[in-house]
Amino acid sequence: VQYTEADICGLAEELTCRIAKQMFGMDFRCVSAPSAENFQKDTVQGFLNAPVNLELQFKASPQLFYQMAKNAIGDEPEDEFEVQEYAMEFFNVICGRFVSKLKDHCRHNDMRFRPPVYLKNSDQLPDAAGHADEVCRVYFENADRETAEFCWNRNSMNKLWTGSEE
Amino acid sequence: MSYRIMIVDDSRVVYAEMKKMLEGSDIEIAGFCRSGEEALNEYENIHPDLVTMDIVMPGMDGLNAAEELLKRYPEAKILMVSSLAYDDMIDKAVEIGAKGFVFKPFEKDALLKVLMDELQKN
């Protein structure tokens, strides 16, 4: 099976919505464009070291990340670090599933997903090995129309899925 | 009969989730280590019936930590915990000597079943 970019976006959408529901009881729906673009964003950033290195990010407002943690805990989070840990775990689970699918599809032997980091008030986009790379973005909104975004380097991702780096 | 487990995970979210899901069960969380290195230092003190070991962690990853732990304590029972669920990863975990795999995100019934199945062996 040859994966297209639409398939990869579809997988990101499906995993994000399913895992948000499972971990936080939160309903995300995919939208073609965010209803609000200029809001303060925090970013969870992760790197996959593979034949082509890949950067992935999940962005949302601090308020949305706070709500996700609160839903999971069932109470107010203790501090901002607890909120960040829930955000990173969420991202970790999505990426783990994503990388597993990629690995089983492409059989890359040397792949390592590094622990994610949380960047406060950061709207920087993924950038592969210092090269400006076209970014693929998928958007989500929750029931309160708060926006989140999952994004990655388009060229790196496509090369990994098609095995064209080999 | 109650059982004691040790959780090895860099995320306290995993500890909190497991604690919630194990409430009312026969399984007690006897230790929580946030790195592979800490697990190697603490295992002897805690001496748990079973270890749950995350794979993606800063420093020594879970597979290396599990391998080292089993070299030092061949009787240790280890379940790998991860959202990384590809065939090679599972094969490698089994090859090292891990008893099984728990996939994230957790589902309460599945988690309890995997833990109890392993704890009740022998």
Side-chain angles (χ1 to χ4, degrees):
Chain A
V1 178
Q2 197 61 257
Y3 273 74
T4 64
E5 188 171 297
D7 295 327
I8 298 167
C9 291
L11 179 62
E13 289 168 356
E14 189 268 324
L15 287 171
T16 303
C17 292
R18 180 159 54 83
I19 294 166
K21 181 75 175 173
Q22 200 169 340
M23 285 183 71
F24 310 119
M26 190 173 275
D27 287 310
F28 274 151
R29 66 185 185 92
C30 305
V31 291
S32 55
S35 54
E37 182 66 76
N38 297 317
F39 59 92
Q40 187 194 337
K41 289 171 194 165
D42 286 357
T43 295
V44 186
Q45 176 192 50
F47 292 92
L48 177 70
N49 294 132
V52 175
N53 290 333
L54 175 68
E55 181 179 350
L56 301 126
Q57 295 184 353
F58 185 83
K59 297 173 182 295
S61 68
Q63 294 78 14
L64 181 51
F65 280 131
Y66 184 90
Q67 190 60 49
M68 289 158 81
K70 187 178 173 184
N71 284 9
I73 300 164
D75 202 347
E76 301 291 331
E78 269 178 30
D79 50 38
E80 65 175 305
F81 301 110
E82 189 169 28
V83 173
Q84 293 175 13
E85 289 212 37
Y86 274 93
M88 287 190 286
E89 183 61 17
F90 173 59
F91 180 78
N92 213 14
V93 172
I94 296 172
C95 291
R97 290 299 173 99
F98 200 90
V99 168
S100 299
K101 196 91 177 171
L102 171 64
K103 172 77 178 171
D104 281 337
H105 178 70
C106 302
R107 315 304 299 174
H108 295 300
N109 286 323
D110 189 17
M111 284 188 6
R112 184 184 163 95
F113 184 66
R114 287 160 39 192
V117 293
Y118 190 99
L119 307 170
K120 285 180 70 170
N121 199 12
S122 167
D123 198 18
Q124 71 172 68
L125 289 169
D127 180 67
H131 301 291
D133 200 348
E134 203 182 347
V135 173
C136 194
R137 308 164 87 161
V138 289
Y139 298 101
F140 306 89
E141 279 184 358
N142 70 358
D144 297 322
R145 303 200 72 190
E146 291 171 301
T147 302
E149 174 184 343
F150 194 35
C151 56
W152 57 82
N153 316 95
R154 170 173 282 131
N155 292 340
S156 305
M157 181 71 91
N158 291 347
K159 281 179 186 169
L160 281 173
W161 280 89
T162 57
S164 60
E165 80 289 351
E166 290 167 340
Chain B
M1 180 171 182
S2 69
Y3 300 97
R4 301 167 67 256
I5 67 167
M6 180 170 99
I7 298 171
V8 185
D9 203 302
D10 59 318
S11 171
R12 63 175 159 164
V13 170
V14 169
Y15 171 77
E17 285 186 341
M18 278 210 194
K19 192 176 169 194
K20 207 191 286 185
M21 290 181 183
L22 298 180
E23 265 173 15
S25 76
D26 293 330
I27 304 170
E28 171 203 347
I29 299 171
F32 172 44
C33 300
R34 298 194 69 167
S35 69
E37 291 86 347
E38 191 183 346
L40 293 173
N41 291 332
E42 287 299 314
Y43 182 86
E44 197 162 357
N45 298 330
I46 297 171
H47 207 75
D49 298 308
L50 184 139
V51 176
T52 65
M53 178 78 75
D54 185 27
I55 291 179
V56 178
M57 292 189 286
M60 180 183 258
D61 71 26
L63 288 170
N64 288 330
E67 190 168 24
E68 185 58 35
L69 199 61
L70 285 163
K71 263 187 215 160
R72 296 187 197 179
Y73 309 102
E75 77 286 0
K77 283 183 173 181
I78 302 175
L79 289 178
M80 304 309 295
V81 173
S82 187
S83 55
L84 289 170
Y86 50 86
D87 297 344
D88 290 2
M89 180 69 77
I90 295 167
D91 291 348
K92 193 164 180 194
V94 170
E95 189 185 307
I96 285 168
K99 302 294 183 189
F101 233 94
V102 183
F103 298 111
K104 292 182 190 175
F106 299 134
E107 287 173 2
K108 185 176 178 178
D109 292 345
L111 175 69
L112 280 170
K113 184 175 185 325
V114 174
L115 293 177
M116 286 307 288
D117 282 354
E118 197 51 51
L119 286 163
Q120 287 175 335
K121 279 184 189 164
N122 302 322

